[in-house]
Amino acid sequence: MAGELMRAEIAEQPQTLARLLDEGLPEIREVAAQIRGLRPHTVLLAARGTSDHAALFAKYLLEVRLGLPVGLASPSTVTVYGGRPRYDGVLAVAVSQSGVSPDLVDWLRASGSAGACTVAVTNGRGSELQRVAQLHVDVRAGAERAVAATKTFTGELLALDLLVDALAGGDGSAAGSLPRLVAQTLELEPTLAALAVRYRFAERLVAIGRGLAYPVAREAALKLMETSYLVAHAFSGADLMHGPLAMLEPGYPVLAVAPPGAGAEALAPVLSRLAEIGADLLVLGGEGPDDGPVLRVGLPECREEHGVVVAAVAAQLLALHVARVKGLDPDAPRGLRKVTQTR
């Protein structure tokens, strides 16, 4: 059946996350200890595609837990425009599943030369990105064969959560239940497959979230674009109200990522407004199966930063089955390769 590679790798996630917790946590604690000793005053994150969404998740965590100013870097300032940064006291983190994208490699190398403490977060060892970094975190998701990233994304989310937790003095124990929660989420596949039918003829969709869930809304939109060819736009719920709301009309498909927490509370007024408009609204998270005009898929309850990982898995399953009901093969999206190299 179409999408069997993607489906198999979605199903591996309880095991890959457990492996990261069991084998990777000591390494992450050591990396965090070295970073703490340098006392960086600013953090810059660089990534592409799916990894960019994981980096945005880390941005929220770093700002909330550590109170540091955090920015998403533009590698092209170095690789295209020849900029020469001054990064004394900066922590520069590059996130990449493959670790081979030339622009990220060149940016991280330039950051180190400019005085930054450099960290590579990759899936596996031996990549060029790891070689130019001073410190390395291995996501330990194993070889990923499907073109649409799944287990590497959730692995990046957990690795970055554990790194920030360690920087804040935590021991990582709060994430111990995540593999079990993801396994429970996989049991929702029949529900999500049934919901996918509503998008059989959809050509466009808006995905929204607030706070920690916003990066996962962006990732959900990307998954639908690359596997089902939908024109999928992702917005923070706040940004949606500042203009893009005007394009929505009754029946317009909206996917909201809203696991319980401060982000979901901030998104609630937006969901009410969308219900008033009559948007075709599906919410991943909160009470299920529905709340008046709002259709919800209830997810296992946990801390917000882990709830977004759970919601990411649900979004992956939804994207897989939307592609299938459209008669497409998410393992062979047109025009895409597993590894994309940009400069």
Side-chain angles (χ1 to χ4, degrees), residues 14-202:
Q15 291 74 37
T16 59
L17 296 175
R19 182 164 60 244
L20 177 57
L21 286 165
D22 292 341
E23 301 175 7
L25 194 50
E27 173 187 73
I28 291 172
R29 288 173 178 163
E30 176 58 29
V31 169
Q34 294 190 54
I35 293 171
R36 284 200 306 270
L38 297 171
R39 299 178 63 86
H41 57 70
T42 304
V43 182
L44 288 177
L45 299 145
R48 296 293 189 193
T50 287
S51 296
D52 195 37
H53 303 152
L56 180 57
F57 171 73
K59 180 180 187 296
Y60 278 94
L61 289 179
L62 286 160
E63 291 178 344
V64 170
R65 293 187 187 175
L66 301 183
L68 290 172
V70 184
L72 296 177
S74 301
S76 62
T77 59
V78 171
T79 62
V80 175
Y81 293 98
R84 293 295 175 261
R86 295 187 296 274
Y87 283 170
D88 290 331
V90 171
L91 173 64
V93 183
V95 187
S96 170
Q97 292 149 14
S98 66
V100 301
S101 189
D103 54 352
L104 294 180
V105 171
D106 290 348
W107 176 81
L108 198 64
R109 182 188 292 113
S111 297
S113 298
C117 170
T118 58
V119 181
V121 179
T122 68
N123 181 40
R125 298 181 180 276
S127 69
E128 183 65 17
L129 191 65
Q130 180 189 352
R131 283 192 286 271
V132 303
Q134 297 164 15
L135 301 170
H136 177 244
V137 172
D138 185 355
V139 172
R140 287 177 163 80
E144 189 169 58
R145 297 173 295 160
V147 174
T150 55
K151 62 183 182 179
T152 49
F153 177 61
T154 54
E156 287 174 343
L157 293 179
L158 177 56
L160 291 164
D161 171 64
L162 292 173
L163 179 60
V164 176
D165 182 67
L167 288 170
D171 62 4
S173 60
S177 63
L178 190 53
R180 174 179 55 81
L181 297 169
V182 168
Q184 293 175 6
T185 305
L186 294 176
E187 296 175 1
L188 295 171
E189 183 175 4
T191 298
L192 292 160
L195 289 168
V197 176
R198 69 197 294 114
Y199 302 114
R200 183 192 301 273
F201 302 110

